[in-house]
Amino acid sequence: MSNKIDSPALTDGFHLVIDALKLNGLDTIFGVVGIPVTDLARMAQAEGIRYIGFRHEQSAGNAAAIAGYLTQKPGICLTVSAPGFLNGMVALANATTNGFPMIQISGSSDRAIVDLQQGDYEELDQLNAAKPYAKAAFRVNRPQDIGIGVARAIRSAVSGRPGGVYLDLPADVLSAALEAGAAKHSLVRVIDPSPRQIPAPESVQRALELLASAQRPLIILGKGAAYAQADADIRAFIERSAIPFLPMSMAKGLLPDDHPQSVAAARSHALAQADVVMLIGARLNWLLGHGRSPQWSAAARFIQIDIAPAEMDSNRPIAAPIVGDIASSIASLLAALQPGRIKPASSWIDELTQRKQRNAQQMRARLAANPNPMDFYSALGAIARVLEQHPDVYLVNEGANTLDIARNVIDMRAPRRRLDCGTWGVMGIGMGYAIGAAVVSGKPVLAIEGDSAFGFSAMEIETICRYRLPVVVLVFNNGGVYRGDDINRGGGSDPAPTVLMAQAHYEKLIEAFGGAGYHAADPQTLARTAAAALASGKPALINCVIDPKAGTESGHIGNLNPPSTIARAN
Ligand code: ADP
Ligand code: TZD
């Protein structure tokens, strides 16, 4: 260790950081070590903090972000200066975009040299580089400010709309000695870091009046609603108001997907025909067609519950904004809800039910087909049946077709169990989210990964094996980005831009680290191996062979690809 202080009357910056985290109940660090934070990780482990060491900072950051989402406490990611810091930035920006609380703590090089650009080892003006991507960014320049710096980072990460916070710790601040008594005194325990934000009573009344006037009301649950952990009250409000609901991807399971009021199977009809829509912790962004026609009725009126006041009217006028935290807002709505006041028209419920039944029948037919090689539906149908027996399993999901089809085929039955690409549509969250979820929950995780998506964080299977985490990775190997059958339009021997190796035996990767590798080319083998792997509680990877011709370009969002204006490159 670099900085040995024997005198009990002295401490140093390293220990102060650890004490500040512990004082605030932060007991896990996800990171990659190197100059100047190696000793910070060692000492944290010595002081009882769990340190999970990754192979790449992006995955460490993703683990921290999802840990924050699941626990409502900021997940901590530790990075080295400059390149390590930048590797973590995608995860920090992703956390900010999705509203997950995390803190990236990074060591940094000598300020005097960095600011004069004199060429230090791993030189970078990290604070300014972080600012555009973080909800907040701070640098601690004096060891006596570590306590207040950590406190500011914690409060910034979890209060209001949660997000990613950057905390810069220069090497000399970490190694600086302090008198122990004064150091202890400088620590800050953050009181009530995300205080309740009780909505104005008139905003609650306005919303209830609008709902009472509706014939075709609809509730949309977003991941903000899942994050809020107000599960029982949300369910009570939906059931007492009898309003049909639609979960956004990560809100699936907040109420079970087989709940009679779920209209997930009639999604487009519900969006297009609803006259009053209540958004609970969901933004009207691209995932909801920006609230515009033709996806939505131009006459629909909106109620939005959100902790961020500026979210209101961001894409479409909000007739009844409720600014508050979701737990307090739903409690206020429940308290003011008079029985029978809100009455969805029976014709609305009937038409949604008919649509649901029709679409469910089509889906059943697709799932029943048993093509050889497997397509996404037959493989996911097999997995859906396995997960019916394991409602507590965390499901991580990324890819394009693998993501979109799994979202539709796999029902969720418990809240906050579905963790996916989220608001940014980012690839590379897979192993980081899987590790973060396994570490904070201690429960099994199934990561369903497109073969391309998996590649972005694949090396972390060594991390999964090293920490013996109960993570089962399912690689949907159709030999390509979206699909594996494209050809080189120039006629050369190089593969087409979307093509990967369909013959790849991904299961051999995990065998290199002592994990269990499986190969599945039919639904029965897939179901059997997935069930056995989940039951084992040990690291496993299943190479799941999917037809290279299965899948559509960009999955369900192919319409977002810009069309070429000339026909030259067909
Ligand atoms: P989805 O992608 O599931 O539609 P979004 O990420 O777009 O969800 O929206 C989540 C919204 O929830 C954000 O606007 C965020 O401000 C809000 N939010 C997060 N936590 C809370 C909370 N505890 N109370 C109220 N709103 C919240
Ligand atoms: N890079 C990053 C960081 N995020 C992205 N979303 C992309 C690239 C582009 N991209 C997608 O939007 S989906 C995808 C990429 C590369 C992979 C799709 O292929 P897959 O899944 O094998 O993971 P399917 O199931 O075969 O479609």
Side-chain angles (χ1 to χ4, degrees):
M1 301 209 183
S2 61
N3 192 44
K4 294 206 181 75
I5 296 171
D6 295 330
S7 163
L10 286 182
T11 186
D12 62 12
F14 289 111
H15 285 95
L16 260 183
V17 174
I18 294 159
D19 291 346
L21 295 176
K22 284 174 68 175
L23 183 65
N24 286 288
L26 300 173
D27 55 9
T28 307
I29 295 176
F30 305 93
V32 177
V33 294
I35 294 170
V37 297
T38 312
D39 275 353
L40 183 60
R42 282 200 187 105
M43 292 173 192
Q45 196 172 48
E47 300 285 338
I49 287 184
R50 186 155 195 214
Y51 178 81
I52 308 289
F54 284 72
R55 306 300 297 258
H56 192 286
E57 291 85 353
Q58 193 179 116
S59 292
N62 284 324
I66 214 65
Y69 170 71
L70 293 172
T71 62
Q72 297 182 324
K73 290 196 291 188
I76 305 295
C77 169
L78 182 67
T79 59
V80 304
S81 331
F85 154 83
L86 280 177
N87 280 345
M89 262 307 110
V90 172
L92 193 80
N94 186 53
T96 305
T97 306
N98 282 285
F100 301 156
M102 77 172 268
I103 302 171
Q104 182 178 341
I105 298 179
S106 188
S108 59
S109 307
D110 190 307
R111 285 250 49 79
I113 301 177
V114 171
D115 286 350
L116 272 176
Q117 297 171 35
Q118 293 173 310
D120 204 357
Y121 169 71
E122 299 193 338
E123 176 183 295
L124 185 75
D125 181 2
Q126 295 173 199
L127 181 64
N128 281 312
K131 275 182 183 161
Y133 307 111
K135 182 183 172 194
F138 307 101
R139 178 163 55 229
V140 177
N141 287 305
R142 307 181 303 175
Q144 62 268 34
D145 291 337
I146 286 173
I148 208 82
V150 170
R152 280 180 76 57
I154 291 171
R155 196 176 282 283
S156 302
V158 294
S159 60
R161 174 185 289 164
V165 174
Y166 176 60
L167 186 64
D168 192 280
L169 298 177
D172 58 343
V173 174
L174 287 170
S175 62
L178 269 96
E179 192 274 312
K184 192 169 177 205
H185 210 69
S186 72
L187 293 175
V188 178
R189 191 165 70 83
V190 183
I191 308 297
D192 199 8
S194 64
R196 286 194 299 156
Q197 300 202 13
I198 298 170
E202 58 274 21
S203 71
V204 173
Q205 282 308 331
R206 195 185 293 122
L208 286 173
E209 270 161 36
L210 190 51
L211 281 178
S213 74
Q215 295 294 303
R216 300 187 303 282
L218 175 68
I219 288 176
I220 308 243
L221 296 171
K223 59 178 155 343
Y227 175 79
Q229 301 196 12
D231 311 344
D233 272 2
I234 289 174
R235 183 172 188 149
F237 182 75
I238 288 176
E239 290 183 345
R240 278 187 223 165
S241 66
I243 300 174
F245 74 93
L246 196 61
M248 299 299 288
S249 190
M250 283 179 60
K252 276 165 68 77
L254 189 45
L255 275 77
D257 275 333
D258 57 4
H259 190 284
Q261 282 170 259
S262 167
V263 290
R267 187 176 195 272
S268 14
H269 188 79
L271 297 191
Q273 300 299 323
D275 63 354
V276 173
V277 181
M278 181 181 223
L279 301 161
I280 307 182
R283 287 169 283 186
L284 271 181
N285 55 17
W286 68 279
L287 286 158
L288 283 170
H290 302 281
R292 297 181 196 139
S293 64
Q295 245 172 299
W296 297 84
S297 153
R301 286 176 300 163
F302 284 78
I303 300 162
Q304 184 161 24
I305 307 179
D306 206 291
I307 204 157
E311 190 53 42
M312 308 299 162
D313 309 322
S314 60
N315 283 270
R316 182 171 173 153
I318 302 298
I322 299 182
V323 176
D325 76 88
I326 285 167
S328 304
S329 303
I330 296 289
S332 305
L333 283 161
L334 267 177
L337 180 67
Q338 291 150 0
R341 185 161 173 223
I342 297 173
K343 269 209 221 92
S346 54
S347 55
W348 174 232
I349 305 299
D350 290 347
E351 76 193 52
L352 287 171
T353 307
Q354 276 166 21
R355 288 275 164 160
K356 265 170 71 172
Q357 283 166 353
R358 197 189 70 190
N359 295 346
Q361 205 173 352
Q362 280 171 1
M363 179 63 91
R364 269 197 299 278
R366 278 188 124 148
L367 294 177
N370 196 4
N372 183 13
M374 280 191 285
D375 65 4
F376 289 94
Y377 287 92
S378 51
L380 286 165
I383 293 301
R385 288 189 289 280
V386 171
L387 287 180
E388 256 178 51
Q389 312 303 316
H390 300 277
D392 248 13
V393 165
Y394 285 81
L395 180 67
V396 171
N397 192 197
E398 62 176 334
N401 297 279
T402 306
L403 176 84
D404 292 333
I405 301 174
R407 188 195 304 118
N408 288 345
V409 169
I410 298 183
D411 279 353
M412 304 305 295
R413 295 173 178 81
R416 293 171 293 282
R417 292 305 195 280
R418 190 183 151 83
L419 314 169
D420 66 27
C421 304
T423 308
W424 245 9
V426 67
M427 298 301 120
I429 47 90
M431 298 306 103
Y433 279 11
I435 293 168
V439 165
V440 298
S441 74
K443 299 240 163 68
V445 178
L446 181 68
I448 306 186
E449 303 273 309
D451 47 353
S452 163
F454 173 61
F456 288 74
S457 65
M459 193 62 205
E460 302 299 344
I461 55 174
E462 189 273 338
T463 311
I464 291 168
C465 291
R466 190 165 16 106
Y467 289 90
R468 296 190 287 275
L469 297 171
V471 175
V472 178
V473 182
L474 197 50
V475 179
F476 269 30
N477 182 1
N478 67 342
V481 177
Y482 315 133
R483 46 194 285 155
D485 61 345
D486 203 2
I487 49 157
N488 180 333
R489 315 273 164 115
S493 60
D494 279 352
T498 54
V499 165
L500 300 171
M501 292 179 73
Q503 319 76 3
H505 279 270
Y506 289 102
E507 74 276 17
K508 294 199 188 302
L509 288 175
I510 201 162
E511 288 169 2
F513 307 113
Y518 301 96
H519 183 84
D522 64 81
Q524 293 73 23
T525 310
L526 178 58
R528 200 177 55 247
T529 47
L534 280 172
S536 78
K538 298 204 178 109
L541 190 153
I542 306 172
N543 180 44
C544 178
V545 181
I546 306 280
D547 189 348
K549 293 194 289 300
T552 55
E553 181 117 340
S554 301
H556 290 181
I557 53 171
N559 59 313
L560 298 183
N561 281 310
S564 169
T565 40
I566 54 172
R568 205 170 57 200
N570 58 9

